[in-house]
Amino acid sequence: MASKKTNQNKVMPEDSNSRRDFIKKSGLFTALALTPPSLVMATEKKWDEKIAEYLETVPLSIEVNGTKHNLNIEPRTTLLDLLREQLQLTGTKKGCDHGQCGACTVHVNGTRILSCLSLATMQQNAQVTTIEGLSKGKKLHPMQEAFIKHDGFQCGYCTPGQIMSGIACIKEGHANSREEISEYMSGNICRCGAYHNIVDAITEVKEGGKEI
Amino acid sequence: MKNFQIIKALSSSSAITGKAKDDSSMFIAGGTNLVDLMKKNIVAPDKLVDINGLDLKKIEFLKGKVTIGALAKNSQVAEDASIKEKHPLLALALAAGASQQIRHMATVGGNMLQKTRCSYYYNTDMPCNKRVPKSGCGAIGGSNRMAAVFGTSDSCIAVHPSDMCVALAALDATVLVDGPKGKREIKFTDFHKLPGNTPEKDNTLDSRELITAVEIPDNNFSKNVHYLKVRDRTSYAFALVSVAVALDIKNNTINDVRLAMGGVAHKPWRLTETEKFLKGKTISEDLFKQAGHLSMKGAKGFGDNNFKLMLGENAVAEALTIAASK
């Protein structure tokens, strides 16, 4: 401990750009610091840098498929990684992880977004729906039923994102023709050539008029 | 991705003060480009100032203009009934950009600040003056199919990727910004810059300034408009070449016209010479062909992108034809 203490004393006062310094400064303006009290305490007590780093998480309250979670996460955690790694909801798929394939599409407050390009910390108090949240007990969502009926998936990897987008497509009012469905499904990439069947499935659900 | 601190700003002034206190901090709005760049370690801010809590989401029609808040989402603007009615060119350009999921996340202010998709900028193993100043340009003499044909320099031939900005350049928009030195307005066509010797700077915004809104003055371009986007696949791809055209036609004569191109320069490329040429002339197929030819005057290819010269001519003629026939 002695050596660590020496090290810390050397670093802290001189390093004006340190994270801790920023946290202190950030309290001076009216922005709300999302830094947990534990880290401020670590700063004030001049704890070891490693301990402070370990504590550098932010609190997050989020509702996923109707279940509320109060978590502490690293700011860099994406919503996709939060769902898959921390909440073990692996239905949402990590495809490209760079916003190009749509496999990670989820609904946040009723709007479809890409969970891979969304920082979880920015979804404070959000209501998230993933593929796991669509069915009611053993009864599948009409879009899930339609995908099965029309063979709307091949290997199935892109399917959760396709289904989430398909539902959103109808809710947004963009499922009025096959062309419009194709355009508004274009952010969901599948290599297997199932597009035609996906459009069939969405068209059927739209025309079926069931509540989605 | 490197870990970082994040603070949530509750007002524009606190956001600006917060960022000004630390030069290594960045604003984050939709994050669709920034998070991707952070994942690839192309940018690695120590702190993010989350501005989503600011009251900058409104689309307001005031006397003589519309003011679009910087935090309005791309899909929100593209589908706004009044925008569709009064500025259909902007709605078309926005709808042509990215995918609906991204349009739900991306903001108007962020769209203006997005980075080039030049493959050398994204590949940290390659030289790029835009990413690392003075490291060289991989695209010159390299693979440059997407590269610029106007306004290039020896240090950079990257193109600005936005569709929305091409329409805003054509519509004489103004960018409203706020910063430590107060508020100011920047003419949209002056907002983005050519690469010159400082390609790392995409625009004339001071690093401590915050975009608060975009304003478009009223115009007579509510009918004969078109945004033609030529790309490698039908949808969800960046433009090879795009054309935004707005015509005000009276008795088959062009009373007024606005023209801008995307995918051809480091900034949205306004075609003022072609506009002058077209004004007052009677619409014809030949006129539009001449306009296409004139539009690409002075363009210079770099090998892989030589096809853009002819493509550009045809795209301008085609966009004018489609707009005139609406």
Side-chain angles (χ1 to χ4, degrees), chain A residues 82-165:
Chain A
L82 178 82
L83 293 170
R84 289 182 57 87
E85 308 295 332
Q86 280 182 255
L87 301 179
Q88 303 294 305
L89 292 168
T90 53
T92 305
K93 296 292 182 270
K94 183 182 274 197
C96 68
D97 203 26
H98 288 282
Q100 295 176 12
C101 76
C104 68
T105 302
V106 298
H107 296 179
V108 172
N109 300 327
T111 304
R112 59 168 155 158
I113 64 151
L114 298 178
S115 59
C116 78
L117 292 184
S118 175
L119 296 174
T121 179
M122 289 166 69
Q123 304 298 350
Q124 195 69 240
N125 300 317
Q127 290 184 320
V128 180
T129 305
T130 70
I131 190 79
E132 290 94 340
L134 294 182
S135 62
K136 288 183 179 145
K138 286 192 173 175
K139 190 169 166 43
L140 293 178
H141 185 280
M143 191 63 79
Q144 290 173 309
E145 295 279 9
F147 264 66
I148 293 168
K149 182 180 165 189
H150 291 279
D151 189 19
F153 43 84
Q154 305 276 314
C155 83
Y157 196 82
C158 74
T159 308
Q162 299 272 11
I163 288 175
M164 299 311 287
S165 263

Side-chain angles (χ1 to χ4, degrees), chain A residues 56 76 97-99 116 172, chain B residues 1 5 36 39 104 236:
Chain A
E56 275 183 63
R76 64 181 160 182
D97 203 26
H98 288 282
C116 78
E172 290 161 4
Chain B
M1 195 193 308
Q5 290 289 341
D36 192 29
K39 282 186 178 188
H104 281 328
Y236 197 23

Side-chain angles (χ1 to χ4, degrees), chain B residues 83-94:
Chain B
I83 291 285
K84 276 183 171 176
E85 187 196 329
K86 292 183 174 164
H87 301 290
L89 178 62
L90 176 62
L92 287 173
L94 277 163

Side-chain angles (χ1 to χ4, degrees), chain A residues 15-62:
Chain A
D15 185 2
S16 62
N17 288 323
S18 74
R19 286 177 177 173
R20 296 172 194 184
D21 192 51
F22 175 77
I23 295 154
K24 280 186 198 166
K25 274 194 258 174
S26 67
L28 298 176
F29 48 86
T30 53
L32 169 69
L34 283 178
T35 312
S38 52
L39 180 56
V40 178
M41 195 165 74
T43 308
E44 284 168 357
K45 292 191 174 177
K46 297 189 174 180
W47 285 354
D48 182 85
E49 179 84 29
K50 278 181 188 158
I51 297 171
E53 291 262 345
Y54 177 72
L55 290 169
E56 275 183 63
T57 58
V58 289
L60 173 71
S61 295
I62 193 166

Side-chain angles (χ1 to χ4, degrees), chain A residues 165-178:
Chain A
S165 263
I167 293 166
C169 202
I170 296 173
K171 285 187 172 173
E172 290 161 4
H174 291 302
N176 300 306
S177 66
R178 295 188 74 87

